[in-house]
Amino acid sequence: MKKGIIGKIHGIVIDILTKFLVVLSMLITGTVFLNVLSRYILEISLPWSEELARFMFIWLSFIGAVIANAQFSHMRLDFIVEKLPAKTAKVVEGISYLVAIVLFVFLFIGSLRYTQSQWDWRSSALGIRHGIVYMITPICFSIMGLQFVARFIQLFISDKKGEV
């Protein structure tokens, strides 16, 4: 993404998410390691650690998807588009961005509804609201949708008016 205002904001968001992902990775590793030690040394299981690790893994997966999307690390079949003339390739790319935007709007709405439906349900070991755990899904789907909106704008406007 170019370094206009949208690119700078995006860069800050991705930087914050990357740092949070590193912390989350260390916490999940520590939690699982603590549970393994507890099982083999003390011969007891820590039920809260399994639940916490599962919840952190959900957050880790969705935040990782946002970062992968930011770096174009997601699966993409572009060998056909590369063979098209430049203008046609640009239109096809724009259409694919629009499809992705529509998809993320539906994913955002569905995940928001699911999060709301799970809000009052509490986890058994930690007592954490499942809505808080699943809250990461609408947040990440909205960020990924906005990433595609920015790419779409950049694709068609940046050539005419400078950086976006």
Side-chain angles (χ1 to χ4, degrees):
M1 195 167 291
K2 293 185 181 178
K3 288 296 178 188
I5 186 71
I6 294 173
K8 287 179 184 175
I9 293 169
H10 183 257
I12 291 168
V13 170
I14 294 302
D15 188 48
I16 291 168
L17 288 176
T18 302
K19 289 176 181 168
F20 183 67
L21 195 65
V22 169
V23 170
L24 202 57
S25 297
M26 291 188 304
L27 287 173
I28 197 171
T29 302
T31 302
V32 170
F33 183 69
L34 181 65
N35 194 28
V36 168
L37 284 180
S38 162
R39 282 184 183 188
Y40 287 102
I41 294 174
L42 303 175
E43 295 182 3
I44 58 168
S45 180
L46 305 172
W48 61 267
S49 67
E50 293 175 26
E51 198 170 78
L52 182 60
R54 183 177 48 236
F55 293 161
M56 286 190 291
F57 186 72
I58 292 168
W59 278 56
L60 188 107
S61 299
F62 281 96
I63 293 169
V66 169
I67 294 169
N69 190 44
Q71 299 170 349
F72 281 94
S73 298
H74 56 292
M75 285 183 53
R76 181 179 156 120
L77 300 172
D78 58 357
F79 60 91
I80 296 173
V81 177
E82 290 174 353
K83 298 194 183 307
L84 296 173
K87 286 188 177 189
T88 307
K90 192 173 189 176
V91 170
V92 169
E93 190 87 8
I95 291 169
S96 72
Y97 290 165
L98 287 174
V99 169
I101 292 165
V102 170
L103 173 70
F104 281 113
V105 166
F106 282 114
L107 288 170
F108 171 78
I109 292 168
S111 64
L112 191 61
R113 287 179 181 159
Y114 184 74
T115 300
Q116 289 170 336
S117 75
Q118 299 298 309
W119 192 259
D120 291 329
W121 183 35
R122 292 189 177 268
S123 65
S124 57
L126 293 170
I128 295 173
R129 292 178 184 269
H130 279 247
I132 292 172
V133 175
Y134 298 124
M135 176 173 69
I136 196 66
T137 56
I139 291 169
C140 288
F141 287 145
S142 64
I143 293 171
M144 287 188 278
L146 290 172
Q147 287 171 332
F148 278 103
V149 168
R151 287 178 187 154
F152 183 80
I153 292 169
Q154 186 175 328
L155 183 66
F156 289 103
I157 296 177
S158 64
D159 291 343
K160 298 175 185 170
K161 296 183 180 180
E163 291 184 355
V164 176

